[in-house]
Each structure stands twice: as C-alpha cells, then as structure tokens.
C-alpha cells in the first residue's frame, strides 16, 4: 500500500485503559483526511479515553495507532502537536495566565527554546482569537471568565496551533444556544475551507447529526455504530446505547435525523 491511499489516522486492535481497567478493547478504525466525525455515547462509555489515545497522551496497552501511515512512536511530542490540537473537556484548572498568554501557548510546538515570537506566530494567535471572538478578552485572567468564554479561549489556543487535525471533548457543554450552533458552524467552515479533520465528542446529538459527516456511537468501550447520521441514528441504536426509548424526526430544513425526548407520563 502506498502512503497516499492509507487513512490519515488508523487504529489497529487498540486497547486503552488505566492499569488493570481496560476501557477500550480491540478497536480498529480508519479516519480519512477531511472527515468531520462526531463521537456520541453515554457517560463512562470511553469517549474521552478514546480521544486521549488519539492525541497520544494515553499510550495503548495493546495494538497501535498510525498517523500518515507511520506509528505514533515515530513522532516526537512536538511533531505530534504540529499535526494535532486538542481541546479538552471543560478545563477547570485555575490558571494564572491571561487569555492572550494562553492562546500564545498554541505556538509552543513551533518555537525553539527561548526563541521570540515571529510575525507568523503573532498572526496565527491574532487570527485564532479573532475567529473565536476572544480578542476583546485578551488581557483578562483566564480564571475570571465565564465557562463559555473559557471554552472559546481553549478553542482559540487549538486554532493558533495550526494543525491538520482537531480533537474536541464536549466543546459546547457550557455554551448558550447561539454559541453552540455557531461553534458547529465555525467547525464546519474550518473543515470545508481548511480541510481540517475534526473529531468531536458531543452530547448534543442533534447538532452532531446536523453538522457531522460521520458519527461513532460508543457503548461500554466499543463502537457499536459507525456511519452517516442517517445510518446510525435510529431508535434501536439509541435505546441500546442509552437504555431508553427516544423518538426520531427529521430536521425541517435539512432532513437530518433529529432526536425527540419522550413526553412526560400522564
Ligand atoms: P466518557 O468520556 O465516555 O464519559 P471516559 O473515557 O472518561 O468516558 O471513562 C471511561 C471509563 O474509564 C470510566 O469507567 C472511567 O471511570 C474510567 N477512567 C477515566 N479516566 C480515568 C483515569 N484517569 N483513571 C482511571 N480510570 C479512568
Ligand atoms: Mg468524557
């Protein structure tokens, strides 16, 4: 196989876990360049563990992950960070940093020790802050922001990293309705215009259905459905995963599957 035809990321019989607790078992998966993948599943089903495996933070206990048809072990931390940016689930640490300083950290993978920022670095930081509408917050301490503002700042840091791949863990959790939709619209724009490959964990199945090209449905560390929203979002799959019956409709504009909660009992 030439590397031109191999997937961007390939998981082969991957086991991931913590000590004796195996969370992900024998997972095999191919992710192609330019995909916008939504990862759906109940709490504790292994979604964040999967993302930590993909980002290289959590080394597999078995199997392997390949990037550009090369094993992860061939890449240094710095090389990996030039290819892949991560927005962790609601980062709660209390930071001493200002918004501007945090976004600037996105450039770390490109800087040599003690090397000052180039114009290119400054431009990447400014563009990322502008796109996520956090420029006005630039000098504010990160721990004095609302959760939603903070989430946008972490997205800005990831964008400043200028990578091919973006991994996001529940990026819209703390956002209001407008910012939730705008986040997905913005990710779609990055996906289309910059060919950014996006893998995004979300509890908002309806937004994921509308904006993602492919959904992975997690249950107990396994992907039990993998396909387009139309293929995987069925009442059977949702009941099997969440243990509850949900109704499905179609979005009035796009026709994409839309999940409807059961009505209250009379
Ligand atoms: P999800 O993101 O789908 O809610 P996680 O991947 O966070 O699920 O968790 C999957 C399982 O792994 C859970 O049983 C959780 O308790 C366990 N787990 C997650 N992180 C750790 C950790 N750092 N150490 C030990 N167990 C963990
Ligand atoms: Mg999680």
């Amino acid at each position: 196989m030439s590397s031109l035809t191999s997937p961007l990321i390939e998981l082969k019989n991957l086991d991931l876990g913590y000590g004796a607790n195996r969370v992900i078992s024998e997972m095999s998966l191919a992710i192609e360049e330019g995909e916008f993948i939504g990862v759906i599943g109940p709490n504790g089903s292994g979604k964040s563990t999967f993302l930590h495996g993909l980002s290289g933070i959590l080394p597999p206990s078995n199997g392997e992950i390949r990037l550009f048809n090369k094993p992860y072990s061939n890449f240094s931390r710095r090389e990996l960070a030039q290819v892949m940016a991560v927005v962790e689930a609601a980062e709660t640490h209390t930071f001493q940093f200002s918004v501007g300083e945090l976004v600037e950290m996105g450039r770390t993978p490109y800087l040599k020790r003690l090397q000052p920022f180039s114009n290119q670095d400054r431009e990447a930081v400014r563009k990322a802050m502008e796109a996520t509408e956090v420029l006005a917050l630039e000098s504010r301490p990160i721990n004095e922001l609302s959760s939603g503002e903070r989430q946008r700042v972490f997205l800005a840091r990831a964008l400043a990293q200028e990578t091919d791949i973006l991994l996001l863990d529940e990026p819209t959790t703390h956002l209001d309705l407008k910012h939730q939709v705008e986040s997905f619209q913005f990710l779609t724009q990055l996906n289309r215009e910059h060919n950014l490959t996006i893998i995004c964990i979300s509890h908002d199945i309806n937004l994921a259905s509308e904006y993602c090209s492919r959904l992975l449905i997690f249950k107990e560390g396994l992907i039990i459905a993998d396909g387009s929203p139309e293929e995987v979002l069925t009442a059977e799959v949702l009941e099997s995963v969440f243990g509850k019956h949900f109704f499905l409709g179609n979005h009035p504009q796009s026709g994409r599957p839309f999940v409807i909660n059961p009505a209250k009992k009379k």
Side-chain angles (χ1 to χ4, degrees):
M1 277 288 248
S2 93
S3 63
L4 282 174
T5 55
S6 63
L8 178 61
I9 303 176
E10 195 172 15
L11 278 58
K12 291 182 172 172
N13 295 315
L14 196 73
D15 287 353
L16 290 170
Y18 311 91
N21 177 15
R22 192 199 285 183
V23 177
I24 305 272
S25 282
E26 295 182 15
M27 184 176 283
S28 293
L29 186 73
I31 296 170
E32 304 292 341
E33 189 188 331
E35 287 199 285
F36 185 172
I37 298 180
V39 178
I40 309 281
N43 299 134
S45 58
K47 303 180 301 296
S48 296
T49 302
F50 167 72
L51 218 69
H52 290 151
L54 281 184
S55 69
I57 298 170
L58 184 64
S61 45
N62 233 322
E64 70 162 351
I65 315 182
R66 299 175 78 83
L67 175 69
F68 304 126
N69 207 18
K70 283 182 274 197
Y72 266 30
S73 47
N74 280 24
F75 296 86
S76 67
R77 277 238 139 269
R78 186 183 162 86
E79 286 168 334
L80 217 47
Q82 291 179 2
V83 178
M84 197 161 358
V86 189
V87 181
E88 288 287 345
E91 302 197 29
T92 49
H93 318 277
T94 44
F95 286 99
Q96 312 281 359
F97 307 110
S98 71
V99 167
E101 286 167 337
L102 192 98
V103 179
E104 284 177 3
M105 286 175 201
R107 299 305 296 170
T108 310
Y110 299 98
L111 298 176
K112 299 209 178 72
R113 192 174 262 284
L114 301 179
Q115 184 190 331
F117 261 43
S118 67
N119 285 339
Q120 195 190 343
D121 294 318
R122 264 187 287 277
E123 184 59 12
V125 168
R126 195 194 55 77
K127 269 167 56 187
M129 293 181 69
E130 200 171 67
T132 51
E133 294 176 27
V134 298
L135 259 182
L137 306 173
E138 188 167 9
S139 54
R140 297 269 304 277
I142 188 83
N143 51 8
E144 289 177 19
L145 302 180
S146 79
S147 325
E149 289 169 336
R150 206 175 300 144
Q151 244 165 347
R152 299 214 305 278
V153 174
F154 283 107
L155 180 59
R157 182 182 64 180
L159 295 181
Q161 224 171 306
E162 296 190 316
T163 57
D164 305 303
I165 303 164
L166 182 57
L167 308 175
L168 304 128
D169 197 342
E170 302 182 25
T172 58
T173 313
H174 293 292
L175 304 186
D176 63 42
L177 219 48
K178 167 183 177 291
H179 283 105
Q180 283 178 20
V181 175
E182 287 183 353
S183 289
F184 271 90
Q185 286 172 338
F186 178 55
L187 291 174
T188 302
Q189 191 188 343
L190 292 171
N191 173 250
R192 288 189 184 152
E193 292 171 14
H194 300 274
N195 203 29
L196 186 70
T197 304
I198 302 175
I199 299 145
C200 178
I201 298 175
S202 179
H203 283 302
D204 195 319
I205 302 183
N206 290 330
L207 281 175
S209 170
E210 188 60 38
Y211 289 95
C212 298
S213 50
R214 176 181 177 193
L215 298 180
L216 307 177
I217 314 288
F218 273 59
K219 181 187 181 182
E220 295 168 6
L222 298 172
I223 295 172
I224 65 139
D226 173 0
S228 68
E230 287 82 358
E231 285 165 341
V232 304
L233 291 180
T234 64
E236 291 73 27
V237 166
L238 293 178
E239 183 150 6
S240 130
V241 172
F242 294 104
K244 205 162 189 61
H245 184 79
F246 292 94
F247 297 91
L248 279 143
N250 294 100
H251 190 282
Q253 286 177 306
S254 66
R256 294 269 184 135
F258 197 90
V259 180
I260 300 163
N261 295 323
K264 76 174 181 202
K265 292 207 174 79
K266 289 237 167 75

